[in-house]
Amino acid sequence: MDKKTKKNLALRTTKFLHLIVSTGLFCGCWWFFCREYFDSPDMIGYTVAGGLIFCVMILLLGRIYDIYSVGTARVSYLIYSHGLTFLITDALVYVIISLILLKLTNPIPILILFAAHMIWSVLWSIFENWLYFKVSPPRATVIVYDDPNELYKLGELGKFKRKFNVVKRVSASVGIDAVKEEIKEAEIVFLIGVELEMRSALSKECVVRGAQCYVMPRVGDILLHGADQMHTFSVPFLRVHGAVPTLEYLFIKRAFDIIASLLAIIITSPFMLITAIAIKVYDRGPVLYKQTRLTRGHKQFKVLKFRSMRVDAEKDGVARLSTEHDDRITPIGKIIRKIRFDELPQLFNILKGDMTIVGPRPERPEIAEQYEKEIPSFGLRLQVKAGLTGYAQVYGKYNTEPYDKLKMDLLYINNMCLGEDIRLMFATVKILFMPESTEGIADGQVTASHVENATTSCAEETERLEEIK
């Protein structure tokens, strides 16, 4: 057995152990606290069935919340992910038990189960993180780039020094042969903005040598990713097309939007009332903020939000995103933005049909117009209805560049289905308590466009990247 296989076996064994112990804790809690409600012969069957349901739920939610993303996430992130997974799973188990018994049962056992799961998760996360880096030392990493001004996008590599050992950065301008020579000892290669011909050659080179290759895709790559394989001809073809959701999917999606938005409005109405009162008491201004946004086919509508900025926030007439230290945001606004309460009125937009729960976030016409001048393909995200949350919101940030947001939105559009919508809804819960996801654009910027604000010289960018190493 080679070293790589041994490493994978060790890590997979500990992940399997995590699942077994987590399920064992559930079964033990179920048996101890619920045996008084069932006859002894039935109890064994209920425990086995409950354990299987619990195991499946952990696998599904664990995949959404990345509870096994050891090596690419901090221990605190792993613990947070486990907390969300077990909180939702244990709560659903409590609901199932109550439905079976047709009454609300004592919640103390479930709270004890959640506490036990969290203690186990903390211990497992610390051990698994230690084990991963024990058997996986930092790997020699080479970054190949075309435009030095795009190197800043890999600034986050500095957070993963125990995984990626950046040994050099190579400009694609030196030519394919020279780059191949530079990466021949690399275990990991990052390709940033490299042209198609070189990208293909270097990807093949990495595959042949057994090295990992991380490619930053372009819009064309993502469109190909969503293409259909054609077998009509004797040679392979990929059929590229726009968004083609089925009528059944659209019907189910709209029905779900109506039901979910109605329930959410009822559940959150006390919070919306408190928020409205707080905004009104603070400065006597309007509670709601209406703003023109774009949805499918460039159709305009008025999005509803709780007002988080001063009444005269755009008295200069310039449409701009909020910045990192935006003095236009009121003290109440800072609170409701942090906990996302400012977005709650958009539930009425969803109920009306202007928006959907999952889809690309709606942009302002003025900002979208500027983005489309810089990125002609930016309008591709308007193939579908705008949403309250989406792929770019879950995996990007508020200040993510528009071109990168476009790519993430297209990844969703290419894979639209009910399962993906549900997955993104659950994943949205995770980012609600992650402050970096609402990180504003830099002070002095108007939009998130890097083109508009790219004033840093190539030399300064290269110097900044020394921090990665």
Side-chain angles (χ1 to χ4, degrees):
M1 188 181 295
D2 59 29
K3 186 177 181 181
K4 185 176 181 180
T5 303
K6 288 181 180 179
K7 179 191 74 172
N8 290 334
L9 179 61
L11 295 174
R12 285 184 177 274
T13 300
T14 55
K15 290 175 182 178
F16 180 71
L17 177 65
H18 173 269
L19 183 63
I20 293 299
V21 173
S22 299
T23 305
L25 288 172
F26 163 79
C27 291
C29 182
W30 176 288
W31 180 272
F32 186 80
F33 290 105
C34 296
R35 57 186 174 178
E36 61 182 278
Y37 300 118
F38 305 101
D39 295 331
S40 294
D42 296 332
M43 193 60 203
I44 296 176
Y46 277 121
T47 302
V48 173
L52 290 174
I53 293 172
F54 178 87
C55 190
V56 171
M57 289 168 60
I58 288 295
L59 289 173
L60 291 175
L61 285 174
R63 185 178 180 87
I64 292 173
Y65 293 134
D66 299 322
I67 64 173
Y68 296 128
S69 57
V70 181
T72 58
R74 301 184 302 272
V75 172
S76 58
Y77 179 90
L78 291 174
I79 295 172
Y80 171 61
S81 299
H82 278 84
L84 273 179
T85 300
F86 285 122
L87 179 65
I88 295 173
T89 304
D90 294 347
L92 287 175
V93 166
Y94 175 76
V95 171
I96 292 172
I97 295 174
S98 298
L99 288 174
I100 292 174
L101 299 174
L102 298 178
K103 66 177 182 179
L104 291 176
T105 60
N106 183 3
I108 298 299
I110 292 297
L111 294 177
I112 294 174
L113 174 62
F114 177 68
H117 276 148
M118 285 310 301
I119 293 172
W120 164 239
S121 295
V122 170
L123 295 175
W124 182 87
S125 297
I126 294 173
F127 172 77
E128 184 75 353
N129 189 70
W130 171 83
L131 177 64
Y132 180 90
F133 291 111
K134 181 74 174 178
V135 300
S136 300
R139 286 177 284 182
T141 303
V142 175
I143 300 172
V144 182
Y145 64 90
D146 182 53
D147 181 2
N149 287 315
E150 288 195 329
L151 281 171
Y152 77 96
K153 294 182 179 180
L154 282 180
E156 290 179 293
L157 277 182
K159 299 177 182 178
F160 303 102
K161 293 180 180 178
R162 297 177 67 185
K163 183 177 179 68
F164 305 106
N165 175 29
V166 181
V167 294
K168 65 179 72 171
R169 293 174 296 278
V170 182
S171 173
S173 62
V174 300
I176 293 179
D177 293 335
V179 173
K180 284 184 177 181
E181 185 66 24
E182 293 285 357
I183 68 170
K184 68 179 182 180
E185 301 298 329
E187 298 172 273
I188 297 175
V189 177
F190 280 87
L191 304 181
I192 308 299
V194 178
E195 292 296 333
L196 179 60
E197 182 182 356
M198 179 175 288
R199 204 180 345 157
S200 299
L202 297 180
S203 298
K204 293 173 187 175
E205 180 74 12
C206 289
V207 170
V208 169
R209 292 197 301 100
Q212 292 185 12
C213 185
Y214 292 74
V215 181
M216 182 180 289
R218 297 188 176 186
V219 167
D221 300 320
I222 294 174
L223 292 177
L224 284 174
H225 177 263
D228 298 326
Q229 296 181 28
M230 294 293 295
H231 305 291
T232 306
F233 310 102
S234 57
V235 293
F237 274 93
L238 295 176
R239 183 179 62 187
V240 180
H241 53 77
V244 286
T246 64
L247 291 176
E248 295 82 2
Y249 168 68
L250 292 175
F251 176 80
I252 295 173
K253 187 177 178 71
R254 180 60 188 143
F256 183 83
D257 283 344
I258 293 172
I259 295 171
S261 59
L262 273 173
L263 288 175
I265 288 170
I266 294 170
I267 294 171
T268 61
S269 55
F271 303 105
M272 287 198 276
L273 179 60
I274 293 171
T275 302
I277 293 173
I279 294 171
K280 196 68 177 179
V281 168
Y282 176 74
D283 61 6
R284 306 294 178 181
V287 170
L288 292 176
Y289 178 59
K290 298 180 181 180
Q291 191 178 73
T292 302
R293 297 288 180 98
L294 296 177
T295 185
R296 182 174 53 197
H298 285 80
K299 180 183 176 182
Q300 296 188 1
F301 72 100
K302 293 289 186 181
V303 72
L304 298 175
K305 299 181 72 172
F306 280 124
R307 183 174 58 85
S308 59
M309 292 189 174
R310 301 192 312 263
V311 177
D312 62 348
E314 291 187 354
K315 59 185 178 181
D316 58 0
V318 178
R320 52 165 59 85
L321 300 178
S322 62
T323 59
E324 198 168 345
H325 304 97
D326 203 325
D327 60 3
R328 299 175 299 161
I329 303 175
T330 66
I332 299 297
K334 290 179 181 179
I335 297 173
I336 63 175
R337 278 179 171 238
K338 186 167 291 187
I339 57 179
R340 313 298 175 97
F341 276 16
D342 61 319
E343 309 283 358
L344 289 178
Q346 290 170 51
L347 292 170
F348 293 97
N349 287 118
I350 295 172
L351 184 61
K352 182 182 176 183
D354 291 329
M355 294 175 61
T356 182
I357 293 178
V358 180
R361 284 294 292 162
E363 290 285 0
R364 299 178 66 173
E366 304 91 337
I367 293 178
E369 182 180 3
Q370 178 180 331
Y371 288 163
E372 289 189 35
K373 288 179 181 177
E374 301 169 1
I375 312 165
S377 55
F378 191 76
L380 289 174
R381 61 196 302 276
L382 296 176
Q383 298 176 78
V384 297
K385 192 182 291 185
L388 180 64
T389 186
Y391 196 102
Q393 282 61 54
V394 171
Y395 299 107
K397 298 180 182 179
Y398 179 79
N399 60 1
T400 297
E401 284 192 31
Y403 186 66
D404 294 319
K405 277 189 177 180
L406 168 63
K407 290 187 285 187
M408 287 187 276
D409 286 332
L410 288 176
L411 284 171
Y412 165 73
I413 292 171
N414 285 344
N415 297 282
M416 279 194 307
C417 64
L418 190 60
E420 180 70 357
D421 287 351
I422 294 173
R423 187 186 72 81
L424 288 173
M425 281 189 282
F426 274 105
T428 299
V429 176
K430 184 176 182 177
I431 66 167
L432 292 179
F433 308 100
M434 297 172 63
E436 59 266 28
S437 66
T438 58
E439 190 177 280
I441 61 176
D443 296 332
Q445 288 187 213
V446 174
T447 70
S449 172
H450 182 65
V451 174
E452 171 200 354
N453 305 285
T455 57
T456 308
S457 69
C458 297
E460 290 172 327
E461 289 289 349
T462 302
E463 182 179 345
R464 183 191 304 174
L465 279 158
E466 291 298 328
E467 298 175 5
I468 295 177
K469 298 186 65 176

